[in-house]
Amino acid sequence: MKILVTVKEVAEVDDEFEIDGLDIAEGSLEYDLNEWDDYAIEEAVTISEARDDVEVVTVTVGPERAEETIRMALAKGADRAVRVWDDAIEDAQFLDVDAKAELLGAVAAEEEPDLVLSGVQAGDDSNGATGVALAETIGFEWAAVVNQLDLDADAGVASVHRELEGGIEELTDVDLPAVLTIQTGINEPRYASLRGIRQAQRKPLEVRSLEDLGLDPSVVESPLERTSMYEPTSESDATVWQGSADETAESLASLLREKGVIEG
Amino acid sequence: MVSVVPLQATEDATRKTFWLISNYEKILFYFLATVTVFVFAYGTYNRFARYGDGKADWFDRLDDLPGRVSSAAKIVASNEKQFNRDLVAGLMHAFILWGFLTLLIATTILFIDEWYRVLTIAAGDRQSFWVGDFYLSYQLVTDALGLLFVIGLAVAIWRRYVVRAERLWGKHTNWEDAFLVWSLLLLGVGGFLLEGLRILGTGDAIVTVEPVSFVGTATALGLAGIGMNASTAAAVYPLAWWSHSVLAFLFIAAIPYAKPFHMISSFANVVTRDDKAGVRLPGVPSDLDATNAESIDDFTWKELLDQDACTKCGRCSSVCPAKASGRPLDPRDVILDLKQYRQSLEREGGETKPIVADGGVIDTKTMESCMSCMACMDACPVEIEHLKSFTRLNRQLTDQGDVQSSMQDVFQNVMTKGNTFGDSPEARGDWTEDLAFDVADARETDVEYLWYVGDYPSYDDRNKKVARSLATLFEHADAEVGILYDDEVYDGNDIRRVGEEFLYVEQAGTLIDSFEDCSFEKIVCTDPHSYNTFKNEYPEVDFAEFADDPMMEFEIDGFWNDGDGADVYHWTQAVEELVEDDALGLQGTELEYTVTYHDPCHLGRYNDEYEAPRELVRATGCSLHEMPRNRANSFCCGGGGGGLWMEVDEEEKPSEERLREALEDTDAGDGIEKFVVACPMCMTMYEDGRKTGGFEDDIEIVDVAELLVEAVETNGATPTAGSDPDAAPADD
């Protein structure tokens, strides 16, 4: 059985940052493994530890710098990694969801996984769409926002709990092969120690270009375009009531009524 | 029938050995003795052969063996460790130890004399030195020490079975604990009974037979008192003699197989101790494939010896703050669980388990509970180095990735930002901005003191006040002090104790690079944790081992500061020197608070600095009252060993218990106004315990530096106006 985990290196912005053209200045950014992907990796590694015949492969779209992050995934127990990158991707001004799905889909077509795990969303651009778009691209079944997974690999069925809005949970079965987008809290991701990351440098990490994947450079073109980057002015309008609990509760109640939050 | 010579204080005074024992019995006796010695030697050899199979230890433990043996002999002979915190147990053990050694020596003398006689008879001229005054002194000494021996054992049995002293009982208490005390008691009592029977059995007036053997004489009188006559005594004597002998043989044969082995293993453990154990942790090989505690085979011979040296006395567990707080850690049980697991593999061929994991030999939560305070090691009478084994287990947890998410965040922060807070490295020196003077940049100017401020005083609001107070003191004293600003990174002491060794090395190398770029004479630390690792651990890291590592991006190669480098001080030590030179102009009457002082583990127990902070507190005029657990017996705040970041289940926080102690148990009654600390971690833990424990109206937490600044300002001498540490700005 093979599990493909999509992994992204996300940018984190310092408290104090500068804007440089259409982007945040490189000096204001720190990079880290996407939080949701951390849970997806843990889920895949847990499955592989429970069975003998499971290979966990990670796939990333990202520059060489991203290898630091990929090694964290390898240190946590993934068996090998694929990184997709070339000049056309580097030059693309904005990599949209479809483009990412195409790139990841090409790798999935090569790897032929039984299960693809992806994070629900990335911490930086927060699209929350890549996993499902990938399922569409490669024609897999899918389930989004999975917070519990029971895999019956022999029967080829994944029984999942999906976290829906309003505290509703959906219990459903998905036939493999499938893409599941993994929600935080599904497990407790393990730590990748510095020694573990060093050891992971011995694991295979393959770099694939568009050409290697048989894709045309036009795949990264997007109808979307970034036109400007600015810091929105933030406003806060906090009302603080002084007085006893009874008085302040009354003031709060009348405000909530006035704003239409509650009725009666 | 053997004739008995009356024994008086004459040249002829002696007694016949093997009285009433036939030659056939004598042969049987020597046969049994030989078997016993063989069983003892075989068992002892196997024990030591097992240690030989253990991994090599990181530290040299067999250097200067004569010196080690003699200092161990002094520690053991004086029983100094047993007297610690428990006078009765100390007396008990001293009586038993010295009684046992005396009887052992006495028996050995008799053995030598016996064979001396045999050989001289063979040579045609029977000789014996066990006669006359020597014989009488021998009898007096063995009776006297034998009596203490029996008294000691009676006390031990009374404490174990009548008082049922809590620390003596635990999950590993079993037959061998009973065997040790009861067999020794029976041997001691049996010896006197035998002596009494012999004296009574002579048929002479009891008090004239051998008055120098006063216990034996008293026993004989007692036997006569309950109606025994000389012939009955002589008749039961051989039976009593054989019972005594067989029990002695059983005891000796059992030594290597049960608790009596502590007589050998504990002594060996004291001989091979590391005087800086726990204070300095072992490193790890730079070999990426080295394992920490994947199996019992990863343990070093000293760690195995530690397990065998344990006498289950429970002193470690009785002082453990984690156990006292209801956390799932019992230091004795960790050592003994490891021993039991090892023996189950070796003796019973049991199944292998993960050493440390949920459901492993040791539970993950057990290790998360440890605060690395070293109270267990301080209390251990046989020099077991708990913290060394615990660190091995913690490193294994890190290797396995079994690290709590809050702790993972800390590691990640250190990895990416060089501080435990995850705050911007550029903000490290921001705490200085509210001072009315500048703190020198050690990267630009030569200084006498390079001040390592530390993470908490740099980033934590409460501790920034301490940093500003200390800066004010240095300024007031005109000390040449500079700090590293953005180039200071986390010292790594505590992440090392939590088990992230590679990250520790990486931080240490990075920080040393910063040190190397500056010119200074001394390093002074706000935090005792930094002080400990700079002083005891940094100079022992061989950075050359990691020179080829692509993730270790430091320049230092080889060792740093080993030998003639900069001296490292905790700030209280440096400022005490300034106070002695009257650089602060204190009269010693400035403040009138009633205070108590809490010894930080890393300053006190770790590094034996108890007086400098106390001198400083007294220099302000405060009246200082000690808590019962002070100095080496201090009770950890709960912040060490990652406790500051770890989430644990506990009944009561160690800090709350400690504040209760301050408010109830000093000789100031409930009069303590301020709880004085000298460590940023303690400050953080006690400010928290003060709130959660409901002590906010009762006591204030202050750092020694804050008291000193208040004293200096009370004096009216405030050249640094505007530096009031309490006038924290709104954004602070």
Side-chain angles (χ1 to χ4, degrees):
Chain A
M1 177 178 186
K2 189 187 277 186
I3 305 175
L4 187 67
V5 186
T6 64
V7 171
K8 186 181 179 191
E9 181 188 61
V10 295
E12 286 173 359
V13 183
D14 285 350
D15 294 344
E16 306 275 320
F17 64 92
E18 282 168 24
I19 290 171
D20 178 15
L22 287 178
D23 235 320
I24 294 167
E26 191 60 34
S28 307
L29 297 176
E30 289 272 353
Y31 294 93
D32 198 0
L33 172 64
N34 179 35
E35 186 185 354
W36 283 264
D37 297 345
D38 199 7
Y39 289 86
I41 293 160
E42 180 65 34
E43 202 60 22
V45 172
T46 308
I47 293 169
S48 81
E49 283 173 344
R51 302 168 55 96
D52 298 335
D53 59 341
V54 180
E55 186 185 23
V56 178
V57 182
T58 68
V59 54
T60 304
V61 179
E64 193 175 350
R65 184 198 60 226
E67 291 189 2
E68 271 183 45
T69 303
I70 296 168
R71 290 222 167 76
M72 282 181 72
L74 293 172
K76 285 166 188 256
D79 298 295
R80 60 189 176 84
V82 177
R83 176 170 71 84
V84 181
W85 199 249
D86 74 9
D87 293 345
I89 306 175
E90 174 109 51
D91 295 342
Q93 188 234 23
F94 181 76
L95 211 56
D96 68 16
V97 169
D98 282 338
K100 286 179 196 162
E102 289 290 339
L103 295 171
L104 297 172
V107 174
E110 286 192 347
E111 296 285 345
E112 298 180 344
D114 303 278
L115 184 63
V116 179
L117 300 182
S118 120
V120 165
Q121 63 190 55
D124 49 4
D125 54 20
S126 304
N127 274 319
T130 307
V132 178
L134 170 63
E136 174 76 14
T137 307
I138 57 179
F140 277 23
E141 295 291 314
W142 58 270
V145 202
V146 171
N147 63 8
Q148 192 183 319
L149 167 61
D150 288 308
L151 188 70
D152 186 341
D154 300 326
V157 178
S159 305
V160 302
H161 290 213
R162 296 184 54 223
E163 183 185 307
L164 304 182
E165 286 79 3
I168 297 170
E169 210 166 79
E170 182 187 81
L171 278 59
T172 187
D173 286 350
V174 186
D175 289 332
L176 300 187
V179 177
L180 307 177
T181 76
I182 302 294
Q183 175 65 311
T184 54
I186 188 172
N187 51 42
E188 286 178 32
R190 69 196 63 194
Y191 174 64
S193 71
L194 214 53
R195 189 222 288 264
I197 294 172
R198 283 281 285 114
Q199 281 172 322
Q201 287 177 329
R202 301 170 185 163
K203 291 187 177 179
L205 195 164
E206 191 186 357
V207 184
R208 312 278 283 156
S209 65
L210 293 182
E211 195 185 336
D212 296 336
L213 295 171
L215 293 171
D216 188 85
S218 65
V219 74
V220 299
E221 285 170 12
S222 172
L224 296 174
E225 182 184 4
R226 199 180 287 171
T227 54
S228 79
M229 174 73 75
Y230 65 96
E231 187 182 0
T233 44
S234 55
E235 296 174 8
S236 73
D237 187 11
T239 310
V240 179
W241 288 291
Q242 307 280 346
S244 71
D246 284 349
E247 292 161 14
T248 54
E250 208 160 286
S251 309
L252 175 63
S254 56
L255 181 88
L256 292 174
R257 261 187 223 109
E258 198 180 297
K259 299 277 182 192
V261 179
I262 52 171
E263 289 177 3
Chain B
M1 191 72 199
V2 179
S3 65
V4 179
V5 184
L7 295 168
Q8 298 301 331
T10 67
E11 277 301 307
D12 306 316
T14 188
R15 67 174 150 89
K16 174 137 180 40
T17 50
F18 294 104
W19 184 51
L20 302 180
I21 302 299
S22 71
N23 276 341
Y24 295 114
E25 287 176 298
K26 216 167 153 179
I27 290 165
L28 180 62
F29 175 87
Y30 275 107
F31 171 72
L32 291 176
T34 310
V35 171
T36 300
V37 168
F38 178 76
V39 173
F40 168 81
Y42 176 78
T44 305
Y45 170 80
N46 276 343
R47 284 265 184 144
F48 280 88
R50 178 66 188 88
Y51 308 141
D53 288 342
K55 280 257 171 75
D57 201 84
W58 185 263
F59 299 113
D60 200 350
R61 295 177 180 279
L62 297 170
D63 56 317
D64 182 27
L65 214 47
R68 283 180 170 274
V69 171
S70 76
S71 86
K74 183 190 152 282
I75 289 172
V76 171
S78 67
N79 262 255
E80 58 191 67
K81 297 276 179 179
Q82 280 81 2
F83 283 107
N84 177 20
R85 297 177 171 94
D86 194 339
L87 177 65
V88 177
L91 288 171
M92 172 214 92
H93 193 270
F95 285 2
I96 298 174
L97 172 84
W98 277 105
F100 184 89
L101 285 179
T102 306
L103 297 175
L104 177 69
I105 292 165
T107 309
T108 309
I109 289 172
L110 196 49
F111 173 78
I112 294 168
D113 188 70
E114 181 75 20
W115 286 96
Y116 180 58
R117 268 178 277 153
V118 169
L119 292 175
T120 50
I121 288 169
D125 177 25
R126 182 185 184 283
Q127 299 272 331
S128 168
F129 55 81
W130 196 50
V131 293
D133 287 345
F134 177 77
Y135 170 76
L136 294 172
S137 325
Y138 176 101
Q139 289 296 102
L140 178 67
V141 170
T142 49
D143 258 39
L145 271 295
L147 182 62
L148 291 183
F149 180 66
V150 171
I151 292 171
L153 286 157
V155 172
I157 285 167
W158 173 67
R159 279 166 63 97
R160 178 172 288 276
Y161 298 103
V162 182
V163 179
R164 292 189 75 87
E166 204 185 328
R167 71 170 166 83
L168 297 178
W169 295 84
K171 68 185 250 205
H172 290 281
T173 306
N174 59 14
W175 66 271
E176 62 176 356
D177 302 290
F179 172 74
L180 178 61
V181 285
W182 286 109
S183 60
L184 287 180
L185 181 78
L186 288 176
L187 282 170
V189 171
F192 283 130
L193 188 66
L194 214 49
E195 192 172 42
L197 288 172
R198 175 173 61 78
I199 290 169
L200 181 60
T202 58
D204 295 327
I206 291 168
V207 291
T208 64
V209 177
E210 196 173 275
V212 72
S213 299
F214 65 99
V215 183
T217 303
T219 310
L221 288 170
L223 290 172
I226 58 169
M228 187 179 278
N229 60 32
S231 58
T232 317
V236 299
Y237 183 83
L239 186 66
W241 187 90
W242 269 112
S243 313
H244 187 69
S245 302
V246 169
L247 181 60
F249 289 150
L250 273 177
F251 179 82
I252 294 165
I255 287 175
Y257 306 95
K259 190 170 174 179
F261 191 61
H262 90 273
M263 296 186 292
I264 296 165
S265 57
S266 304
F267 182 72
N269 214 47
V270 178
V271 170
T272 55
R273 75 189 183 282
D274 174 20
D275 280 331
K276 285 184 170 181
V279 169
R280 57 166 187 184
L281 293 178
V284 294
S286 55
D287 174 12
L288 293 175
D289 294 321
T291 49
N292 284 304
E294 296 226 319
S295 77
I296 205 77
D297 295 333
D298 280 329
F299 287 76
T300 75
W301 64 266
K302 176 58 170 63
E303 288 154 1
L304 303 180
L305 183 61
D306 269 352
Q307 296 161 10
D308 282 3
C310 178
T311 64
K312 312 184 206 172
C313 72
R315 286 168 187 261
C316 54
S317 302
S318 71
V319 298
C320 175
K323 186 175 164 70
S325 314
R327 297 187 188 184
L329 167 62
D330 184 308
R332 165 179 60 182
D333 286 350
V334 174
I335 299 297
L336 292 174
D337 285 349
L338 290 168
K339 174 180 177 173
Q340 188 180 48
Y341 172 66
R342 169 166 61 93
Q343 292 189 333
S344 82
L345 293 181
E346 287 164 7
R347 294 183 180 176
E348 294 125 46
E351 277 185 41
T352 54
K353 289 202 276 185
I355 298 288
V356 57
D358 293 337
V361 180
I362 307 296
D363 206 73
T364 308
K365 282 194 163 46
T366 300
M367 281 300 101
E368 288 170 351
S369 300
C370 176
M371 310 161 194
S372 298
C373 74
M374 272 191 28
C376 51
M377 290 172 58
D378 182 71
C380 182
V382 298
E383 303 281 357
I384 291 170
E385 298 167 3
H386 305 69
L387 214 57
K388 192 163 162 285
S389 288
F390 290 8
T391 301
R392 176 173 297 290
L393 299 175
N394 281 341
R395 287 174 178 170
Q396 179 63 28
L397 284 173
T398 304
D399 286 349
Q400 290 167 189
D402 293 332
V403 176
Q404 273 190 10
S405 83
S406 59
M407 199 65 229
Q408 287 191 27
D409 291 345
V410 172
F411 288 159
Q412 206 63 41
N413 290 339
V414 172
M415 235 183 260
T416 56
K417 308 273 189 176
N419 67 72
T420 52
F421 286 80
D423 286 354
S424 166
E426 286 76 37
R428 197 161 184 112
D430 288 359
W431 63 270
T432 59
E433 285 166 11
D434 301 312
L435 292 168
F437 53 89
D438 292 330
V439 179
D441 189 332
R443 298 168 299 182
E444 289 164 7
T445 21
D446 292 358
V447 289
E448 182 183 357
Y449 293 101
L450 177 71
W451 176 15
Y452 176 82
V453 183
D455 268 21
Y456 274 72
S458 297
Y459 290 108
D460 168 65
D461 288 343
R462 179 65 187 88
N463 280 297
K464 281 181 190 174
K465 295 181 187 175
V466 177
R468 283 192 283 264
S469 297
L470 187 48
T472 305
L473 291 175
F474 284 137
E475 179 73 8
H476 189 76
D478 275 335
E480 276 183 44
V481 176
I483 66 174
L484 289 167
Y485 287 92
D486 310 4
D487 283 331
E488 186 179 291
V489 296
Y490 175 53
D491 58 72
N493 183 77
D494 291 34
I495 57 167
R496 179 174 222 204
R497 279 152 183 78
V498 182
E500 192 22 319
E501 181 69 8
F502 272 57
L503 188 55
Y504 169 78
V505 172
E506 199 251 350
Q507 284 293 293
T510 309
L511 184 53
I512 288 171
D513 279 355
S514 298
F515 287 165
E516 295 286 78
D517 288 341
C518 303
S519 171
F520 57 89
E521 291 165 36
K522 302 161 186 168
I523 296 176
V524 59
C525 310
T526 331
D527 186 341
H529 295 238
S530 337
Y531 165 62
N532 179 65
T533 199
F534 294 165
K535 184 176 161 212
N536 300 309
E537 298 190 311
Y538 276 27
E540 298 202 352
V541 180
D542 182 3
F543 291 97
E545 283 274 309
F546 299 90
D548 300 331
D549 193 315
M551 294 183 76
M552 303 278 183
E553 293 168 351
F554 43 73
E555 287 166 19
I556 171 82
D557 196 4
F559 292 93
W560 171 77
N561 208 18
D562 57 334
D564 55 353
D567 286 332
V568 181
Y569 293 85
H570 182 246
W571 75 264
T572 54
Q573 298 168 324
V575 171
E576 194 204 4
E577 286 177 10
L578 296 174
V579 167
E580 276 174 15
D581 297 342
D582 205 23
L584 292 179
L586 290 173
Q587 311 296 315
T589 53
E590 282 81 359
L591 303 181
E592 290 176 348
Y593 301 121
T594 305
V595 305
T596 191
Y597 170 72
H598 164 76
D599 288 282
C601 310
H602 280 73
L603 187 60
R605 224 168 3 242
Y606 271 65
N607 288 296
D608 282 326
E609 183 54 83
Y610 302 111
E611 299 314 318
R614 284 182 169 78
E615 289 302 322
L616 293 179
V617 171
R618 288 193 199 98
T620 65
C622 286
S623 117
L624 178 62
H625 298 265
E626 296 290 349
M627 289 180 275
R629 290 176 288 192
N630 63 66
R631 296 184 168 82
N633 296 345
S634 184
F635 189 76
C636 177
C637 67
L644 204 52
W645 307 293
M646 216 72 92
E647 283 160 22
V648 288
D649 293 331
E650 57 192 357
E651 288 153 15
E652 183 190 38
K653 291 179 181 170
S655 56
E656 294 171 1
E657 157 59 16
R658 185 63 160 168
L659 290 172
R660 182 211 58 75
E661 182 180 359
L663 287 165
E664 293 176 6
D665 298 347
T666 72
D667 59 11
D670 58 358
I672 300 293
E673 299 163 85
K674 289 179 192 284
F675 186 90
V676 185
V677 296
C679 166
M681 304 242 170
C682 296
M683 173 62 86
T684 302
M685 298 311 282
Y686 288 118
E687 282 290 8
D688 173 67
R690 178 171 166 252
K691 293 184 185 79
T692 58
F695 297 110
E696 277 179 290
D697 297 334
D698 305 320
I699 199 161
E700 271 184 60
I701 318 296
V702 294
D703 193 275
V704 180
E706 294 174 316
L707 270 190
L708 282 167
V709 166
E710 190 178 339
V712 169
E713 287 175 355
T714 305
N715 241 354
T718 48
T720 53
S723 65
D724 180 4
D726 293 325
D731 67 342
D732 200 18

